[in-house]
Amino acid sequence: MAHFSRRRFLGVSAGLAATWGLSPQLMGRALAAPETPADVPTTLLQTFRQSSTPVTGQYRTLLAGPGETYTPRYDLIGKKANNARVNQRRSLAYLGHMSDIHIIDPQSPARLEPMQQMSPTLWQGAARPQDTMTVQVQAQMVAAMAAARYSPLTGSPMAAMFNTGDSADMISQAELRWYVDIMDGKSVVPNTGIEGQYDGPQAWPEADYAYHPDDPSLDRFGPYGFPSIPGVLKAAISQSVESPGMPVPWYAVYGNHDAIYYGTFPIDAALQSLAVGERKPAVLEALASNYFGGWASDPTVLGRLQHMITTQFGNQPDMRSVASDPERELFSQMGFMEAHFATETNPGPVGHGFTRENLESGKTYWQADVGSHLRLFGLDTCNQVTGADGAVPQDQFEWLQDELAKARDLNKMAIVLSHHNSFTLENGAESVTGPNQPLIHAEQFIDMLLQFPNMIAWCNGHTHINTINAHPRSDGTGGFWEITTASCIDFPQQQQLVEILDNKDGTISIFTTVLDHLSAADWSAGDFSQQGLASLSRQLSANDWVASPLKRLGSPLDRNTELLLPAPFDLSVINDADLATEIAVRKARIVAYEEAQK
């Protein structure tokens, strides 16, 4: 490594080899290898686009398209950048960003699929054609992150990955466990109920709101041109899904779907009973009259208990009998944190941002350092009362303000992580019984962040659309970038790579690179492999006739970009030798990961 003396190189190499139980020769060769742009599958090389003509009806397949280069954005420096930066810059941190994974247990009795009968637009997330394939998609996205463990821009090793929420879809314990296990590189069979048997609306003729791959003529998807794919439901819930696991430490924050039911409603005893029970509503009338109707007509505890008993044991019309499964239990706010402690120590960290202090205090926000000069701040912007959108509670707002000041004084760049973005940070719902604290909304939150020159990026999700916004200071002295990634559930099923570079000219660049999961552009009929099902999921999502899937791609200004801003402090305090040591530590972790994969 160029910034090491021979003695220091040998010492660092030997120490890291001992730490990871690898031979000094192997570690030495890996650390001595020059950092060059990695040839990894990203949207720099290939993109996915819809076919120009439909296959059947309006249904279109996907095709491989040309890659997209980086688009520079000068919003926060007010002028074009110095071209000399290309040859003199250095990588400070290379990161992965996932969001809105939405792992789904499609057989849970507590799902809201029948609401699609009332309004496919209003309830478009209640049932999707690709609901049975979410674990396969997550596994292939983890595989894509692992393949991109070295930067396609600089060759720098990945330092960390963060996930900005909505990991589970319907706060099911099974969903939460599957998501953590796939991140950790474990095998998952995404099935609850009877082994090898799918029990849900996609197989029930009366559920005409859902896509029936065995026979689309039974539903509204058939006339659109959705294909007949017999056997795909059983394949999706029967096969073991394998994951390589994240190669680097990963961190997580709450999304609204990790906090309350359907990301919108509070949980009660009747709903919990429905989730673990033996009766599942097949159509809207059953759901409305047997659950929502009973809740609305008698909201007392005793009334809901009587209704719960009637729903589970009475002869209710259009309630299907299904096998119960305790793994479908709905998890609590504390349960989400606890699941992140039932994890692997490598890559870790245990808790994935949350600490024992979080479990003891109940605080749902955290901070963590990635190297010596970058600090992550994980917020919980979810409203526990009601509503899909969020806000920043006063206690988190004040804590973050204090901690950003401390980070500034320590010459640490700051990245804030939350689920909600600046377009969706306006939820003001409060408990009628209290206690409540003030809720901070987007304008006030952004104004506070702009007080800190070390605040460089706010990364989030929620809207399932690739979006990048500049937040400038009113005096023209920079600002910060807001980076919103898409989702793993809706088209384009993309996530992001984020790299921070010191341009050595008084500016930094944040490069964003959009990442597709590792599966073919065009699904091959009959391919029920893990990669095949992930490919099929993306194709189905691209034909979402309720939403506008192509708009979720964002514009070129929202995808592969170079986001410039003034340096947050004098970056010469990050000396090259210390940075080289940090990069060596990151590279050693990845070398150990690669050896474990063999």
Side-chain angles (χ1 to χ4, degrees):
M1 303 185 77
H3 302 290
F4 281 172
S5 66
R6 176 176 173 79
R7 175 178 293 182
R8 184 167 184 178
F9 175 83
L10 292 174
V12 169
S13 178
L16 291 172
T19 297
W20 292 103
L22 301 174
S23 75
Q25 294 79 11
L26 173 65
M27 187 62 69
R29 287 194 300 271
L31 297 186
E35 292 177 14
T36 57
D39 183 17
V40 296
T42 71
T43 53
L44 293 170
L45 301 179
Q46 175 183 277
T47 56
F48 296 141
R49 294 291 181 264
Q50 279 191 330
S51 59
S52 58
T53 56
V55 177
T56 305
Q58 299 178 61
Y59 189 91
R60 299 170 187 262
T61 58
L62 293 175
L63 304 172
E68 294 183 337
T69 59
Y70 291 113
T71 299
R73 292 189 57 175
Y74 309 116
D75 312 42
L76 298 182
I77 61 172
K79 60 181 180 180
K80 285 193 174 182
N82 182 354
N83 289 334
R85 74 191 187 283
V86 176
N87 298 318
Q88 65 190 25
R89 60 196 178 196
R90 56 179 182 162
S91 178
L92 301 178
Y94 171 52
L95 309 161
H97 179 195
M98 294 182 69
S99 193
D100 295 87
I101 299 169
H102 284 275
I103 291 297
I104 292 174
D105 172 15
Q107 301 178 87
S108 169
R111 290 192 61 76
L112 287 176
E113 299 108 331
M115 297 303 292
Q116 285 254 318
Q117 283 186 308
M118 180 177 72
S119 172
T121 302
L122 181 62
W123 297 93
Q124 61 181 279
R128 299 176 175 91
Q130 65 271 21
D131 278 353
T132 58
M133 307 168 199
T134 57
V135 176
Q136 288 85 355
V137 170
Q138 185 198 357
Q140 292 310 111
M141 187 59 76
V142 170
M145 282 283 176
R149 57 191 177 272
Y150 291 102
S151 164
L153 178 68
T154 66
S156 186
M158 189 177 286
M161 191 283 295
F162 44 80
N163 165 30
T164 52
D166 277 5
S167 303
D169 188 66
M170 285 285 191
I171 57 174
S172 160
Q173 189 66 47
E175 295 170 347
L176 183 58
R177 185 71 263 148
W178 295 343
Y179 137 73
V180 173
D181 284 350
I182 291 296
M183 288 292 203
D184 279 347
K186 295 182 179 179
S187 300
V188 168
V189 178
N191 182 38
T192 57
I194 299 173
E195 182 179 352
Q197 178 176 315
Y198 170 81
D199 280 323
Q202 289 188 268
W204 296 338
E206 67 269 34
D208 59 0
Y209 55 85
Y211 169 50
H212 293 71
D214 282 352
D215 184 3
S217 67
L218 297 173
D219 56 58
R220 64 186 69 171
F221 293 87
Y224 185 94
F226 272 65
S228 174
I229 315 174
V232 71
L233 295 175
K234 181 176 181 179
I237 58 96
S238 299
Q239 298 174 6
S240 178
V241 178
E242 308 299 323
S243 167
M246 288 302 305
V248 295
W250 58 275
Y251 299 85
V253 300
Y254 283 84
N256 56 301
H257 280 258
D258 306 316
I260 53 179
Y261 177 62
Y262 192 60
T264 306
F265 308 114
I267 305 169
D268 67 0
L271 181 60
Q272 187 69 264
S273 176
L274 189 67
V276 298
E278 299 176 346
R279 308 275 282 169
K280 180 176 172 69
V283 297
L284 178 61
E285 290 77 10
L287 181 65
S289 63
N290 294 331
Y291 179 68
F292 290 125
W295 194 93
S297 63
D298 191 349
T300 66
V301 174
L302 179 59
R304 293 204 301 270
L305 177 62
Q306 291 173 336
H307 158 67
M308 174 180 67
I309 294 171
T310 302
T311 297
Q312 289 301 321
F313 302 107
N315 185 23
Q316 300 294 309
D318 297 315
M319 292 289 287
R320 284 270 191 160
S321 294
V322 296
S324 63
D325 194 323
E327 292 301 313
R328 294 173 179 153
E329 180 181 356
L330 306 182
F331 59 81
S332 64
Q333 184 186 45
M334 186 65 69
F336 180 79
M337 283 197 290
E338 290 171 344
H340 288 82
F341 286 81
T343 186
E344 298 296 309
T345 56
N346 184 30
V350 173
H352 300 290
F354 302 110
T355 65
R356 290 293 172 187
E357 194 274 333
N358 287 107
L359 294 181
E360 293 167 2
S361 67
K363 293 179 180 177
T364 53
Y365 47 95
W366 52 263
Q367 62 176 299
D369 284 352
V370 177
S372 301
H373 293 279
L374 175 62
R375 182 162 289 175
L376 306 179
F377 295 94
L379 302 184
D380 176 7
T381 55
C382 303
N383 191 303
Q384 292 291 326
V385 178
T386 191
D389 291 345
V392 181
Q394 182 74 33
D395 59 352
Q396 289 188 55
F397 180 84
E398 294 175 352
W399 169 83
L400 179 60
Q401 190 170 30
D402 291 343
E403 294 302 327
L404 284 171
K406 294 176 185 177
R408 176 199 59 205
D409 296 342
L410 293 170
N411 287 327
K412 291 181 183 288
M413 296 175 289
I415 295 179
V416 170
L417 311 175
S418 72
H419 181 64
H420 296 93
N421 53 48
S422 60
F423 295 105
T424 58
L425 209 63
E426 80 300 316
N427 191 331
E430 296 181 338
S431 171
V432 295
T433 58
N436 295 299
Q437 59 174 310
L439 298 175
I440 309 302
H441 297 145
E443 184 175 358
Q444 185 179 353
F445 184 61
I446 291 169
D447 286 345
M448 183 272 286
L449 296 180
L450 287 170
Q451 297 173 17
F452 299 96
N454 59 319
M455 169 65 198
I456 62 171
W458 175 16
C459 295
N460 50 49
H462 188 56
T463 47
H464 299 196
I465 303 171
N466 289 318
T467 313
I468 297 177
N469 287 298
H471 293 288
R473 294 189 183 88
S474 57
D475 62 2
T477 59
F480 67 89
W481 291 97
E482 180 182 359
I483 303 167
T484 304
T485 194
S487 73
C488 287
I489 184 65
D490 290 318
F491 188 78
Q493 297 189 349
Q494 292 177 330
Q495 308 284 257
Q496 283 181 339
L497 305 171
V498 178
E499 187 166 12
I500 306 165
L501 280 80
D502 171 16
N503 292 322
K504 294 189 174 181
D505 63 357
T507 68
I508 65 171
S509 292
I510 302 174
F511 280 84
T512 64
T513 309
V514 170
L515 192 66
D516 290 304
H517 54 75
L518 286 185
S519 61
D522 186 17
W523 177 68
S524 298
D527 182 1
F528 293 164
S529 67
Q530 177 175 315
Q531 295 87 345
L533 291 174
S535 175
L536 175 60
S537 174
R538 179 168 48 220
Q539 180 176 292
L540 293 171
S541 72
N543 285 276
D544 184 350
W545 50 270
V546 175
S548 300
L550 297 185
K551 291 183 179 179
R552 297 184 185 276
L553 285 162
S555 76
L557 297 177
D558 303 306
R559 297 195 292 263
N560 295 345
T561 65
E562 179 187 5
L563 311 174
L564 288 108
L565 67 163
F569 49 83
D570 181 2
L571 294 176
S572 67
V573 301
I574 307 176
N575 71 68
D576 288 335
D578 289 344
L579 180 60
T581 300
E582 289 188 2
I583 290 174
V585 170
R586 296 166 188 169
K587 186 177 288 189
R589 177 185 292 276
I590 289 177
V591 171
Y593 169 85
E594 292 168 343
E595 289 299 302
Q597 296 292 309
K598 293 180 179 178

